[in-house]
Amino acid sequence: DGGITQSPKYLFRKEGQNVTLSCEQNLNHDAMYWYRQDPGQGLRLIYYSQIVNDFQKGDIAEGYSVSREKKESFPLTVTSAQKNPTAFYLCASKSTGELFFGEGSRLTVL
Amino acid sequence: KNQVEQSPQSLIILEGKNCTLQCNYTVSPFSNLRWYKQDTGRGPVSLTIMTFSENTKSNRRYTATLDADTKQSSLHITASQLSDSASYICVVPRSGTYKYIFGTGTRLKVLA
C-alpha cells in the first residue's frame, strides 16, 4: 500500500546525543515536510523540501537538520543543540494541496 | 496575522449525540480549508476539504460548512460513535506558498 512510513515509533535519547528520525514515502510526491507537535499547540514546521537535494528551514529549524538525497526519503536529525526536543514528530508529503502524514515518532529525552 | 483558531478546546459527549466543532481563520490569501482527524498517538488523516466556493459538504456522518465572508468553518458530527474520539484539526494553506496554518485542534471524547 502507498503511504508514509516513520520510524522508530518511540525513541529515547540522552541529553547531548543526536538522533535521526526516518521518513520514507512511496507516493511519488515531490514535496515533503517535518512538523513538531506539542500538547495544546498547532503543528509547527521544522523543515520543508520541495524537491530532491533542496530544502528550506521552517519556523522552528534551530537544533534540527535534514537531507533529501532521494525522492522517497527525508530523514530528520535532532541534534544536541535542540534545547527541548521531547515532542511528537510528524512527517508529511504533499499532493495537489493535500498533506499526507506518517504515523509519527515520539521522542523523549531522558 | 495568519491564524486558525478552533473551539472548543475539548468536548465530551455521549455516544449517539451530535456535536459541532468550530474553526475561525484569518489566513490570506485563502483558497481552501481542510479538516483532519487525529487519533491519539497517530498521524492526522484528512476528512474533507472545503474550497472557496463551497458552502456545505457531507462525508458519511461528517458535515463541513464554510462561510468565506465571515471566515468560519464548522464540522458537524452526527450520531457520534466511540471511534469518533480523537482530535480534529482545522488546516488552512496559505495560497501560493508552501505553508500551512494549523489550528490547535478540538479534542473530542465520546462516552458510552
Side-chain angles (χ1 to χ4, degrees), chain B residues 31-71:
Chain B
S31 63
N32 64 79
L33 176 151
R34 286 184 186 270
W35 284 93
Y36 281 80
K37 178 185 179 185
Q38 184 178 23
D39 293 319
T40 301
R42 308 286 297 273
V45 176
S46 179
L47 287 175
T48 189
I49 177 174
M50 299 296 292
T51 60
F52 185 85
S53 59
E54 293 176 309
N55 296 121
T56 303
K57 182 183 287 185
S58 293
N59 176 11
R60 296 184 297 166
R61 294 180 297 101
Y62 300 106
T63 298
T65 68
L66 177 67
D67 185 333
D69 291 330
T70 62
K71 298 186 178 181

Side-chain angles (χ1 to χ4, degrees), chain B residues 11 23 25 64 78 104:
Chain B
L11 184 61
C23 174
Y25 61 92
T78 303
T104 55

Side-chain angles (χ1 to χ4, degrees), chain A residues 33-86:
Chain A
Y33 297 73
W34 273 106
Y35 289 96
R36 170 177 171 145
Q37 187 174 36
D38 295 285
Q41 296 191 43
L43 273 66
R44 292 183 290 168
L45 180 64
I46 304 173
Y47 266 97
Y48 161 76
S49 171
Q50 193 169 10
I51 200 167
V52 174
N53 292 323
D54 181 63
F55 47 83
Q56 294 86 38
K57 292 181 179 180
D59 301 317
I60 57 166
E62 184 175 353
Y64 300 98
S65 65
V66 294
S67 63
R68 189 81 188 278
E69 298 176 0
K70 298 186 301 181
K71 187 175 186 178
E72 302 80 16
S73 179
F74 191 39
L76 173 74
T77 296
V78 184
T79 74
S80 57
Q82 169 49 235
K83 298 306 178 186
N84 185 22
T86 294

